[in-house]
Amino acid sequence: MAVDPAGQGFGPYAARGSPGDDGGMDPVLEKLAEEPVLLLTFLLALGAALGRIKVLGVPVGPAAVLFGALAVSALGTAQGHPLQLPEIVGTIGLVMFAYTVGVISGPTFFGSLRTGWRLMAAVAAVMAGAAGVALALGRVLGLGAPVIAGSFAGALTNTPALAAASERAADPGAPTIGYSICYLWGVVGMILAAGWALRRQGDETPDEPLVHQTIRVDRDTSTTVRDLAERYGGEVAFTRLKHVHAASRTQLAGEDATLTRRDLVTAVGPRGLVEQLTEELGHRSSHNIVDDRQELDYRRITVSNAALAGRTIHELGLERYGATASRVRRGDVDMVAQPDFVVQMGDRLRVISPVARISEVTTFLGDSERGISDINPTGLALGMVLGVLVGLVPVPVPGGGFTLGAAAGTLLVGLLFGHLGRIGPVVTSMPHGAASSLSTFGMIMFLAYAGSVAGGRLADAITSEMGWKVAVLGFVLTSLTAVALLTAARLAGSPPRQTAGMLGGAQTQPAVLAYAHEQTGADLRVGIGYALVYPAAMIAKILLAQILAGLS
């Protein structure tokens, strides 16, 4: 990414023409060419405005920054004065984006390895097959390796793959041209595939993300709360308990508590599992002991105490306050508070505590809005430095070798840091909201840079023989990938709504996720499918794009 295809540098003054050779240039374009900071902010503002445009009812979103930058750069070139952002803008945006995506995905990625590795492997295999098709068809069409790599990234709508290809390619601008031409069908085509997967969604009954239910125990044999929790794989939590009669004192359902006939116990978990548990233990009670707040109270408390980040629910030691946590809300998703669940800054815990001690628990956890916006500068800087260093490590392959590059290196370190949450005294995670904001900002910075680099060449590429060839390549890649993913999901027995989310995750495309959410009322299974395969698809695309770009 350090070499300008036109032979120019990427410094603030590299794109400026000589005084007097652009006399007819529009004053606005001239000013943008003279001020890189003004050009960047203008492209971001233009992208934000264009991002409101909807395609099939879904906003174009951050990708509009790329298209806006391409148009403005092409216009500047047509006026005889190319507009191009400095390379450092794209590099910083790339590193920030890839690292924060890793931090966000880390907990889900490592957790899903145990149960979803087959589907993840299938998605990675589909990506590898798409790369093979891209190389073979691209060669038949007479396209160069950098354009093929960019077309692969665009057809599969992956910005870090584009960045990796640009960094690896001898011609850094060529991948962006392929990406730009192929991107639109990459989004629209996969949305249509998600719609196809959802055509059978009527066969599924939507589940509430999490429910709570008071159960009356009818069985004669006793069992402990710990035994039941282990039997249901930790996906059901037990919060309150009344022994023998509804008039008894309400207490926390500790792990060692024994359930016997006539006891009342409150369970929290997915509706299907809670109903199964109810049938096993007895029946749904007419007494909802959650509403009895005389002895135990509950509250959503935000974790803003930095000392707690990276600790598990068990390590928080809430029992010292006579309290327990039943749910964790991260972003917009509710999860059961399992003992080994790693807490991050900004998580909101549903805590059940004795009324007299709820304020102590609140103070302990923090419950500050200020803390949840903290970007954790120490962890952020350390993670990005290590990621860049990892990206410089050479990876030997037959016939030569390559480096992972800044995109893959920071993504891998981000995944690890997001999973660990803490290394000794250093907190490596960051609040979900802060990470998401940094991720979006890094993405649009890189897209603005990439569009400004390729915009001057895009018009000629589209109208040339190469334009239609790239369009054909992109259409084939997206379409074949969609069919392969649908087939893999069907063979794996994935339900329609999870499959729709999986398509969005495999395409690493938020617009597909947004479409599936809109069509299903934000069904939980859509998000699960997306999170399950997203990290594996991201890593596979970045590595494959670099390999394609480096081929001679």
Side-chain angles (χ1 to χ4, degrees):
M1 201 153 65
V3 180
D4 182 350
Q8 298 175 322
F10 285 91
Y13 304 97
R16 302 181 187 182
S18 301
D21 63 1
D22 49 21
M25 179 181 173
D26 185 280
V28 174
L29 294 176
E30 184 175 6
K31 192 65 177 176
L32 290 174
E34 293 174 350
E35 301 291 341
V37 175
L38 179 62
L39 175 59
L40 173 62
T41 53
F42 173 76
L43 293 178
L44 297 183
L46 177 62
L50 295 177
R52 293 173 171 267
I53 299 174
K54 293 185 176 182
V55 178
L56 297 179
V58 179
V60 176
V65 176
L66 173 64
F67 299 127
L70 287 167
V72 171
S73 179
L75 178 61
T77 300
Q79 294 293 326
H81 200 107
L83 304 175
Q84 184 172 298
L85 289 169
E87 181 191 9
I88 190 65
V89 171
T91 302
I92 292 176
L94 160 67
V95 169
M96 185 183 301
F97 174 65
Y99 176 73
T100 49
V101 165
V103 168
I104 293 170
S105 304
T108 304
F109 177 67
F110 288 98
S112 62
L113 284 175
R114 295 190 296 269
T115 58
W117 66 269
R118 289 184 179 84
L119 191 56
M120 295 166 67
V123 168
V126 170
M127 298 300 110
V133 171
L135 179 61
L137 183 56
R139 294 298 197 201
V140 170
L141 293 172
L143 299 174
V147 175
I148 292 174
S151 301
F152 170 81
L156 303 182
T157 67
N158 191 267
T159 303
L162 168 63
S166 299
E167 193 174 39
R168 176 69 172 166
D171 181 355
T176 304
I177 294 174
Y179 181 94
S180 304
I181 295 175
C182 297
Y183 186 92
L184 183 58
W185 177 246
V187 176
V188 175
M190 202 58 72
I191 287 177
L192 293 176
W196 175 264
L198 291 172
R199 77 194 190 283
R200 296 187 297 108
Q201 66 172 308
D203 299 340
E204 296 180 286
T205 55
D207 285 343
E208 294 182 34
L210 289 179
V211 298
H212 68 264
Q213 187 161 291
T214 300
I215 304 170
R216 179 183 173 90
V217 180
D218 291 336
R219 59 187 295 175
D220 292 323
T221 56
S222 62
T223 185
T224 65
V225 167
R226 178 184 288 105
D227 290 340
L228 284 172
E230 291 177 353
R231 192 182 311 164
Y232 283 83
E235 295 186 60
V236 177
F238 299 86
T239 59
R240 299 166 180 81
L241 173 63
K242 280 179 178 285
H243 283 304
V244 182
H245 194 274
S248 302
R249 183 177 65 88
T250 304
Q251 60 187 22
L252 292 178
E255 290 186 341
D256 296 326
T258 301
L259 302 182
T260 58
R261 187 177 180 84
R262 298 180 62 193
D263 285 351
L264 299 180
V265 63
T266 300
V268 177
R271 179 184 297 275
L273 289 181
V274 170
E275 290 180 349
Q276 180 180 337
L277 174 66
T278 302
E279 184 176 349
E280 176 185 346
L281 293 180
H283 68 272
R284 180 173 183 171
S285 174
S286 59
H287 298 279
N288 185 2
I289 59 178
V290 174
D291 293 336
D292 179 6
R293 304 176 72 168
Q294 293 183 350
E295 296 161 327
L296 295 178
D297 199 2
Y298 62 90
R299 185 177 299 174
R300 285 275 192 185
I301 305 176
T302 301
V303 178
S304 59
N305 182 353
L308 305 180
R311 309 293 187 189
T312 64
I313 294 290
H314 174 72
E315 290 171 341
L316 294 181
L318 295 178
E319 60 273 7
R320 76 170 72 101
Y321 303 102
T324 189
S326 62
R327 313 184 194 192
V328 182
R329 187 170 182 83
R330 179 173 294 167
D332 294 327
V333 179
D334 268 327
M335 297 161 281
V336 173
Q338 301 181 27
D340 60 351
F341 186 96
V342 177
V343 174
Q344 296 181 4
M345 291 278 286
D347 286 347
R348 286 164 287 174
L349 302 188
R350 177 80 170 262
V351 176
I352 300 94
S353 165
V355 173
R357 309 204 68 179
I358 193 71
S359 60
E360 294 180 68
V361 179
T362 301
T363 301
F364 171 66
L365 295 177
D367 202 31
S368 169
E369 292 297 321
R370 180 181 178 183
I372 66 174
S373 62
D374 183 10
I375 64 172
N376 182 17
T378 301
L380 176 65
L382 177 62
M384 290 198 297
V385 166
L386 291 177
V388 171
L389 291 175
V390 169
L392 296 175
V393 176
V395 178
V397 295
F402 64 93
T403 59
L404 290 175
T410 50
L411 175 65
L412 292 173
V413 173
L415 285 169
L416 182 61
F417 273 26
H419 170 64
L420 295 175
R422 164 186 297 273
I423 300 177
V426 179
V427 176
T428 58
S429 63
M430 70 175 71
H432 186 275
S436 296
S437 297
L438 286 178
S439 177
T440 300
F441 184 66
M443 178 200 306
I444 60 179
M445 282 184 64
F446 174 76
L447 290 175
Y449 163 75
S452 72
V453 171
R457 304 166 60 186
L458 182 61
D460 290 339
I462 292 176
T463 56
S464 69
E465 184 180 5
M466 183 178 71
W468 71 262
K469 291 181 178 180
V470 171
V472 168
L473 177 59
F475 179 84
V476 170
L477 285 178
T478 299
S479 302
L480 287 181
T481 300
V483 172
L485 290 172
L486 286 169
T487 302
R490 190 69 178 269
L491 293 175
S494 176
R497 297 187 182 194
Q498 179 175 302
T499 297
M502 185 269 287
L503 290 172
Q507 193 72 345
T508 55
Q509 180 48 251
V512 180
L513 176 64
Y515 170 79
H517 269 163
E518 183 179 356
Q519 296 299 310
T520 62
D523 188 278
L524 179 63
R525 285 163 291 193
V526 174
I528 291 174
Y530 184 88
L532 183 64
V533 302
Y534 181 96
M538 175 75 75
I539 294 171
K541 291 178 189 180
I542 290 173
L543 296 178
L544 291 167
Q546 285 197 87
I547 294 173
L548 288 173
L551 296 175
S552 57

